[in-house]
Amino acid sequence: HLLNLTAQDVALTADEELDLRGVMCPFNFVKTKLRLEDMADGAILTVTLDHGEPLKNVPASVEMEGHTILKIEPLESHARLWIQKHGS
């Protein structure tokens, strides 16, 4: 459920960032999940992921955990995933 945030992108800022380039599945999701557990409800985490399986699997797993994918920002050799944490 990607939101089209073109006008709001300027206002969107991350509370925390996680660079998981080079981290294989499922470790990249485990690291994302652990970081989200330590964050406040409503906080925004950006996760930098490699293209391919990580970019396919991590967003789906994050949504299954009940969090919101705000956007997926494609970059040259990777992508940045914007996640908003929701309480458990």
Side-chain angles (χ1 to χ4, degrees):
H1 304 141
L2 297 180
L3 304 176
N4 187 1
L5 299 176
T6 51
Q8 297 170 354
D9 283 353
V10 178
L12 198 60
T13 57
D15 296 295
E16 294 195 35
E17 298 178 8
L18 197 54
D19 187 346
L20 297 178
R21 286 175 285 185
V23 178
M24 306 307 288
C25 296
F27 302 110
N28 44 26
F29 170 65
V30 172
K31 289 175 181 275
T32 300
K33 181 178 176 178
L34 291 172
R35 179 65 63 94
L36 284 165
E37 286 175 1
D38 289 338
M39 295 175 67
D41 292 347
I44 295 174
L45 172 66
T46 61
V47 180
T48 305
L49 296 166
D50 294 317
H51 289 298
E53 277 196 46
L55 193 54
K56 184 177 112 183
N57 295 336
V58 173
S61 298
V62 164
E63 284 188 325
M64 285 177 48
E65 291 285 317
H67 306 294
T68 301
I69 304 300
L70 297 175
K71 72 174 180 173
I72 297 175
E73 179 182 357
L75 302 168
E76 192 172 315
S77 62
H78 50 280
R80 187 170 295 119
L81 182 63
W82 293 73
I83 306 166
Q84 185 169 34
K85 179 185 175 168
H86 290 291
S88 38

